[in-house]
Amino acid sequence: MVLKTQYSMAFTFTTIADYREQLLNGDTTCVQAVEHYLAVIEANKHLNAYVLVCADAALQQAKSLDKRGVAGNGDTLFGVVVAIKDVLCYKGQPVTAGSAMLEGYKAIYNATSVQKLLDAGAIIIGITNCDEFAMGSTNENSVYGPVLNAHDNTRVPGGSSGGSAVAVQAGLCMVSLGSDTGGSVRQPADFCGIVGLKPTYGRISRYGLIAYASSFDQVGIFARNIPDAALVLESIAGYDPMDSTSSPIPLRNFAPLEKNKQYNYRFAYLAPTMELPGLDPEIKSSINTYFDKLREQGHTVEAVPFDLLDYIVPAYYVLTTAEASSNLSRFDGVRYGHHAAGNTDDLTEYYKQNRSEGFGLEVKRRIMLGSFVLSAGYYDAYFDKAQQVRRLIFNQTAAIFENYDAIIMPVSPTTAFVLGEKMDDPVAMYLADIYTVFANLAGLPGLSVPLFRHSNGMNFGVQVLTDRWQELDLHKICHYLHSNR
């Protein structure tokens, strides 16, 4: 791991529960925690994980919390130092989605997920870098430049929530929020060797989350361990009248997750996912060996047929780009954001200038693709067909969960790749999403569990998917797998 360490080691963090004990025992304070993270962030600026560090606000909040005291306080995230992705509104702070299109814009309200963090006593220490408008798998499509993987600075951290992933990976915060439209939490978590959670679509309010593809987007969580991810989910999940897609289905109460308790789980894996020619041989071998280990422990691990795998990536990119072309039409440079310097009396030409200068290459590519599939003559051939594929995927997945507790599959065909390696081949970049977009198409909860280390030194693991609204089962299963790796 390439990390600079010129800062005090007086403060250490392992879990949120342990940190709370330190606060209760007087072994540390919220101010000491914030000062520690500010020092670590400063020492590791080269990673480019943050686009804004909210030092003054974080210290002020820490002082206020220390004055109140943790004893008897019911705040579930009291003093927990959190980073948020640059797509979530934090009142009074810039929110740019990693794009020049939103330069100078400051949020005028808190996203519901951010407000719930604050209500639970969390301290927001900064805003993290991301691919522009969450479109990318490497965090190289940002106006602020690429984020570097802390394990190997020559490699990508994954995307689009790469900054949030590295912030947890490198110890620049305790937990962080990202967003997951097609794997943008689970894939960077896999590349960085940490835990990444995408809840069921509708479990966490999207109010205040800058939209990429509205029927796919979901706020997600990065953590170092499963219990911390579960605690954050408990704190920010729930119905929100400001988001019509949020669900009133209650989140079952998370009892303390039991370590090393034996269960007899029924695991399925989609047969074609382990036979793809692009799957790294070492990843394939490690996961197959792990399946054997689970069987030896008394679990069922069976291959199930799935004939829609070849349609997953095309359907995903047809639908998400179509939604993106609609969502991003609101950014015109007239009311806020980037204004072109050129003078013109033609409003349409003014829009063109603003968008041509404000949007990056990948965002333009997806807007144009989305506009094409929605255009007259192509809507039925592409958009409607993709929606039909999505329904078939949903139905086939529901049938699998009638007989199995969870689905296990790789997170990515490869480990973190070298910076710039795939930037000239967008099709190869899109195909690398084949394992993660499945959960978003079906609206499933998924959790990336770090389990292995490749011979190239990089981490990787598996993702576990459960049926919709079964986050409690998902966390129990993943905690068991993580504890017995």
Side-chain angles (χ1 to χ4, degrees):
M1 182 183 293
V2 184
L3 293 178
K4 297 180 181 178
T5 57
Q6 298 89 345
Y7 48 87
S8 171
M9 298 301 292
F11 177 85
T12 58
F13 175 77
T14 53
T15 68
I16 293 175
D18 179 71
Y19 171 56
R20 191 176 185 91
E21 282 298 312
Q22 291 183 57
L23 291 172
L24 283 167
N25 295 334
D27 296 330
T28 192
T29 66
C30 295
V31 168
Q32 287 177 326
V34 169
E35 288 177 340
H36 165 82
Y37 285 109
L38 290 175
V40 181
I41 292 168
E42 177 64 25
N44 291 281
K45 288 192 297 185
H46 67 290
L47 298 175
N48 201 28
Y50 284 88
V51 300
L52 178 70
V53 179
C54 306
D56 292 341
L59 283 169
Q60 183 177 354
Q61 188 179 3
K63 291 175 183 177
S64 176
L65 290 172
D66 283 336
K67 188 175 181 180
R68 280 200 298 160
V70 69
N73 196 300
D75 293 347
T76 55
L77 299 177
F78 185 93
V80 174
V81 179
V82 185
I84 61 172
K85 184 178 178 179
D86 186 26
V87 290
L88 288 163
C89 291
Y90 181 22
K91 187 175 181 179
Q93 303 295 344
V95 55
T96 68
S99 178
M101 195 67 207
L102 282 172
E103 64 181 354
Y105 179 75
K106 291 187 177 181
I108 58 175
Y109 62 93
N110 285 328
T112 298
S113 55
V114 171
Q115 186 60 55
K116 286 191 172 185
L117 285 176
L118 296 171
D119 291 344
I123 300 169
I124 297 175
I125 200 165
I127 297 168
T128 55
N129 202 346
C130 63
D131 282 302
E132 184 180 6
F133 285 101
M135 297 181 190
S137 303
T138 64
N139 218 141
E140 295 173 282
N141 299 318
S142 170
V143 72
Y144 304 105
V147 177
L148 307 183
N149 193 307
H151 286 320
D152 181 346
N153 293 174
T154 68
R155 295 179 182 267
V156 303
S160 62
S161 309
S164 292
V166 169
V168 172
Q169 176 198 36
L172 313 182
C173 63
M174 297 177 184
V175 293
S176 66
L177 296 190
S179 64
D180 192 313
T181 304
S184 289
V185 167
R186 289 160 291 143
Q187 184 249 33
D190 189 61
F191 281 9
C192 293
I194 59 174
V195 171
L197 167 67
K198 173 215 169 294
T200 306
Y201 180 80
R203 178 63 83 187
I204 298 174
S205 171
R206 293 183 300 109
Y207 180 68
L209 170 67
I210 295 177
Y212 162 16
S214 301
S215 72
F216 291 79
D217 299 337
Q218 185 60 201
V219 175
I221 299 161
F222 293 98
R224 288 186 166 275
N225 56 76
I226 309 296
D228 284 0
L231 184 60
V232 175
L233 177 63
E234 281 188 292
S235 302
I236 66 175
Y239 173 70
D240 179 12
M242 300 301 291
D243 176 9
S244 62
T245 65
S246 66
S247 173
I249 297 174
L251 181 69
R252 286 190 288 162
N253 187 40
F254 282 59
L257 298 172
E258 298 171 87
K259 185 177 180 181
N260 296 325
K261 184 174 180 179
Q262 181 66 42
Y263 296 91
N264 292 315
Y265 289 120
R266 298 167 299 160
F267 295 114
Y269 67 92
L270 310 183
T273 61
M274 297 303 295
E275 302 302 329
L276 289 177
L279 180 60
D280 180 284
E282 197 169 327
I283 292 178
K284 178 178 179 179
S285 175
S286 296
I287 294 177
N288 278 326
T289 300
Y290 189 65
F291 287 164
D292 290 337
K293 177 182 176 181
L294 290 174
R295 294 185 184 105
E296 291 171 2
Q297 294 173 346
H299 307 291
T300 299
V301 183
E302 296 177 342
V304 296
F306 191 79
D307 58 3
L308 296 172
L309 193 67
D310 290 342
Y311 302 97
I312 284 178
V313 171
Y316 170 80
Y317 277 99
V318 166
L319 294 173
T320 56
T321 57
E323 293 186 20
S325 70
S326 176
N327 280 328
L328 270 61
S329 64
R330 72 191 67 178
F331 302 115
D332 52 25
V334 174
R335 293 157 294 177
Y336 51 82
H338 177 77
H339 301 285
N343 294 319
T344 177
D345 294 328
D346 185 275
L347 184 60
T348 300
E349 184 61 30
Y350 184 59
Y351 285 163
K352 288 180 180 178
Q353 289 179 7
N354 291 339
R355 290 169 173 162
S356 295
E357 294 178 10
F359 289 131
L361 179 62
E362 182 59 32
V363 173
K364 292 176 186 176
R365 181 184 289 121
R366 298 195 192 196
I367 289 173
M368 288 189 288
L369 177 58
S371 298
F372 171 76
V373 301
L374 289 176
S375 61
Y378 296 100
Y379 186 95
D380 292 341
Y382 292 100
F383 189 80
D384 272 356
K385 290 294 183 185
Q387 290 283 40
Q388 291 168 15
V389 169
R390 190 178 193 181
R391 170 50 64 177
L392 290 172
I393 290 170
F394 181 90
N395 291 341
Q396 287 197 22
T397 304
I400 292 172
F401 286 124
E402 290 178 1
N403 299 305
Y404 297 94
D405 299 309
I407 297 172
I408 301 181
M409 66 173 72
V411 184
S412 171
T414 67
T415 58
F417 30 88
V418 174
L419 288 157
E421 181 179 331
K422 296 185 183 292
M423 288 300 287
D424 295 330
D425 191 348
V427 174
M429 189 83 79
Y430 298 164
L431 290 174
D433 295 336
I434 191 165
Y435 295 117
T436 52
V437 300
F438 172 77
N440 300 83
L441 281 162
L444 303 174
L447 207 154
S448 177
V449 186
L451 296 175
F452 313 110
R453 188 177 291 273
H454 198 277
S455 60
N456 63 16
M458 302 309 295
N459 298 100
F460 68 97
V462 297
Q463 64 173 322
V464 180
L465 311 176
T466 57
D467 204 357
R468 299 197 317 155
W469 317 115
Q470 302 305 313
E471 280 87 356
L472 177 58
D473 291 343
L474 176 65
H475 282 79
K476 284 183 175 180
I477 291 169
C478 291
H479 187 56
Y480 171 80
L481 299 180
H482 197 226
S483 301
N484 290 277
R485 63 190 185 279

